[in-house]
Amino acid sequence: MGCSLTKNLKEGQYALYENEIKGIDQADKEELYGLIEQEPNTRFLGSSLGVTIYRFGEKFYDSLSLVSKLGLVDAELSEIRLALDTIPNDRKLRKRADKLISKGEGLKKKLEFGNALMRTGNPLVLLDSIQTETTVDNLQGYLVNHGFF
């Protein structure tokens, strides 16, 4: 299926569909679910709209291009700052420096979080054994602290 969550998964990777706590009837289930480290992928009819949007955004995301643009912005900004050292009251240079700072922050945000489509969608959540162990430790600690031995 083209929109399947399991599309392009490698051997041994599993998409996380749901978190289910079994065997604990007397504890507060809402608090226990709050201790789970990984949030599952939302699904509707076997697909996830958020993951589909994220994957679509990945097709247009080019981190190398963003890094080169950020380098150019930083280079121009350093030149303007040198010019501002010699002419501190130049309004045009200050305005250009402010614009470059804003542009650099936007590029850093895109590098860290992806483009607008990627930020709108959700990346595919894969089952992570380390986070599963952390969740088990969290749940055990909660249960022991609340009198469940």
Side-chain angles (χ1 to χ4, degrees):
M1 198 173 180
C3 298
S4 173
L5 289 177
T6 58
K7 180 174 86 171
N8 301 329
L9 289 183
K10 298 175 185 160
E11 186 71 30
Q13 289 184 327
Y14 303 99
L16 182 61
Y17 289 127
E18 115 183 66
N19 293 324
E20 187 175 349
I21 299 174
K22 292 183 179 181
I24 302 170
D25 297 326
Q26 296 177 350
D28 184 9
K29 290 234 180 192
E30 290 298 318
E31 286 191 41
L32 291 175
Y33 278 108
L35 297 172
I36 295 176
E37 292 289 321
Q38 285 186 294
E39 291 292 322
N41 296 298
T42 56
R43 289 185 301 162
F44 181 71
L45 299 176
S47 181
S48 172
L49 180 61
V51 173
T52 303
I53 291 170
Y54 185 86
R55 285 180 177 166
F56 187 68
E58 277 184 317
K59 292 180 182 181
F60 302 104
Y61 182 70
D62 184 13
S63 61
L64 295 177
S65 171
L66 290 174
V67 168
S68 67
K69 287 179 183 177
L70 186 59
L72 292 174
V73 166
D74 287 341
E76 185 178 351
L77 186 59
S78 64
E79 288 177 14
I80 289 177
R81 285 184 175 154
L82 286 174
L84 279 172
D85 286 342
T86 58
I87 312 169
N89 294 330
D90 190 347
R91 283 187 6 197
K92 286 184 180 181
L93 286 176
R94 286 195 182 282
K95 190 172 183 179
R96 181 67 183 152
D98 290 341
K99 284 184 179 181
L100 287 173
I101 289 170
S102 176
K103 185 175 183 178
E105 289 172 356
L107 289 172
K108 288 176 186 174
K109 181 179 176 183
K110 280 185 182 180
L111 270 173
E112 187 174 352
F113 301 112
N115 59 26
L117 286 173
M118 291 171 70
R119 289 190 305 269
T120 302
N122 306 328
L124 180 65
V125 178
L126 298 175
L127 185 63
D128 184 1
S129 61
I130 294 173
Q131 288 187 339
T132 302
E133 290 175 18
T134 305
T135 297
V136 168
D137 292 341
N138 291 344
L139 294 174
Q140 285 176 344
Y142 174 86
L143 292 172
V144 167
N145 288 335
H146 287 83
F148 297 96
F149 298 103

